[in-house]
Amino acid sequence: MHGGPKGPEGPDGSGGPDGRPRRRGQGELEAQVLAALRQAPGPVTAAWVQERLGGDLAYTTVMTILTRLQAKKAVTRERAGRSFEWRAASDEAGLAALRMRKVLDAEADREAVLARFVTALSADDERLLRDLLGLPEDSAAGTGSSGAGAESVPEPGAESGVEG
């Protein structure tokens, strides 16, 4: 299952028009590493991950991605002899949630950011969020509007059961 590129394109046919491998999108390699770790039978080495992702990735690239994922708390590592074994600590939804939290943490006005986020939700997403928070639906949320109105944003300090 391990092999190098076949001709100008990679093994999955993802080469660019000039024959070089295409550049991955932001976060794509992290998602691929996490997917490999979730399929692993247990903690695995960076070399195991590299082999699963294909022969075109340098070992140092895999180590860099694993280290970045560890800093994001998406993976954990444990000492195994002179190296480490890695395990997924988060699935794709967890990694997306970590990214969302990082964006929120970088903003000075958390309340404004959260209010704008909530008011931009679709009616279905608003219902889902209310269910997750254990909030009752009020008349504004049950109108079937295309998104949540500002009147449906919980008042600051209201009991929601979630701490920020």
Side-chain angles (χ1 to χ4, degrees), residues 14-152:
S14 62
D18 61 357
R20 292 191 302 200
R22 72 169 180 83
R23 185 170 173 91
R24 290 176 176 86
Q26 183 179 10
E28 185 178 344
L29 189 52
E30 287 182 354
Q32 290 173 351
V33 168
L34 277 176
L37 288 174
R38 282 193 304 277
Q39 295 171 359
V44 294
T45 64
W48 185 94
V49 173
Q50 178 190 25
E51 184 177 321
R52 295 313 176 278
L53 296 179
D56 63 332
L57 277 180
Y59 177 83
T60 54
T61 301
V62 173
M63 283 299 301
T64 298
I65 296 300
L66 286 166
T67 302
R68 287 180 183 169
L69 287 169
Q70 182 190 22
K72 295 176 182 182
K73 300 185 181 348
V75 301
T76 60
R77 72 179 185 183
E78 49 192 61
R79 180 67 73 182
R82 291 176 34 200
S83 63
F84 292 99
E85 290 184 332
W86 303 82
R87 176 189 306 261
S90 182
D91 58 9
E92 287 182 43
L95 185 57
L98 287 169
R99 286 193 300 261
M100 291 167 66
R101 178 65 186 256
K102 186 176 181 179
V103 169
L104 183 60
D105 288 345
E107 296 298 323
D109 191 348
R110 296 174 72 89
E111 183 177 344
V113 173
L114 284 171
R116 294 284 174 104
F117 177 76
V118 170
T119 59
L121 292 175
S122 69
D124 288 341
D125 286 343
E126 182 182 351
R127 268 190 295 283
L128 177 59
L129 182 58
R130 286 183 175 282
D131 289 347
L132 291 170
L133 294 173
L135 297 174
E137 276 198 39
D138 59 76
S139 59
T143 61
S145 63
S146 63
E151 64 275 5
S152 64

